[in-house]
Amino acid sequence: MNLRTQILGVGHYLPEKRLTNADLEKMVETNDQWIVERTGIRERRIAPPEHATSDLATIAATRALSSAGVSPQDLDMIILATASGDHIMPAPACLVQARIGATNCVAFDLSAACSGFVFAASVADKYIKSGTHKRILVIGAETLSRIVNWKDRETCILFGDGAGAAVLGPAQTDSKSEILSEFLLADGTLSDLLTNRAGGSRLPLTHDLLDQGAHLVTMKGRDIFKNAVRTMSKCASHCLEKASMTLDDVHWIIPHQANQRIIEAVAKQMDIPREKIIMNLERTGNTSAASVPVALSEALENKIIKRGDVILITVFGAGLTSGALLLRY
Ligand code: UT7
């Protein structure tokens, strides 16, 4: 019998503190009009000082487990996608495992930056389809406010903190919900477009590097923009092709919430009607690996997406990585 994977439940968490464009005007030389026109973002959430990525992830995970009706002891695996983990080691996935009391499972992180949730869901899908694992918690969580350069107006206006999670498991024989196809890409030749130069084994932190802010996010925005439009469209098209479906079969598109103009350019290139696009970046900014599961969870909570709807997710991120996931919820 061919096993299929379905999403059993989702959950998300956004910290309470809002950082508005007006707040940013007091921190760097920028203005609300520029940020809204160039990105679509009006505010983003910032985690409290006592919270790191695993704390945000734990709240989202608990909510996803409750929505799925799955107990932590029934989990076989936790995959946490993040670019802003609590420490270089241990993996925050293990911290979440301990916090929720998932005593019977393996836990590890996955590094694909903003594409992380789609990559992690794809890995989980393979384990479930192989029959070896039955309940997998997939999390995208970020505390980007800790690794952003708050003096760099090109990057600090973009990012926010948050976490989203989904519990994946085998679809029942009579269930229509399933992951229909995936398509993942990476192009390491473009790795310098978005990076934290220092703080790893390439450039261990020194006082000088710290003073230069070399451990913080640096980015070549315009190049990333162009690549994002190209790869998000390409991955989405391949994903549809693999499932022998067209955009007419799709109810909702959830693109990585990086920049409204990137999303509009993808929509134009692929001829996607605006009303099919789920967008929340106005309120969240770019929450990297958390962006897609937060948008999905909010859309379900607000009863915009319903069981049976076909959803096409398409993402890009540092690496550069990109990917798409097609599913019937
Ligand atoms: O998940 C992946 C994360 N990364 C991304 O998604 C980045 C993708 N790229 C982008 O979203 C856009 O490239 C940005 C929003 C980063 C920049 O928008 P842009 O339309 O590509 O602007 P630009 O870099 O071409 O800059 C235009 C001007 C420049 O001034 P001059 O040289 O024309 O005088 C910038 O210095 O805007 C200036 N500028 C700003 N002005 C006010 C750059 N940042 C700001 C700012 N406020 N925050």
Side-chain angles (χ1 to χ4, degrees), residues 13 37 74 98 129-130 143 155 177 186-187 199 229 255 265 320-321 329:
Y13 168 70
E37 279 177 13
D74 292 334
K129 282 183 176 148
S130 78
T143 321
T155 47
S177 301
D187 183 356
V229 176
L320 295 184
T321 53
Y329 191 77

Side-chain angles (χ1 to χ4, degrees), residues 22 33 53 59 67 70 72 100-101 103 112 128 154-155 167 178 191 215 219 247 260 262 289 294 321 324:
Q33 192 189 350
T53 294
I59 303 172
S67 122
V70 169
I100 63 175
T103 42
I128 288 164
E154 260 194 64
T155 47
V167 181
E178 65 176 309
S191 57
H215 57 301
M219 181 184 85
L247 276 172
Q260 186 175 332
I262 294 178
V294 169
T321 53

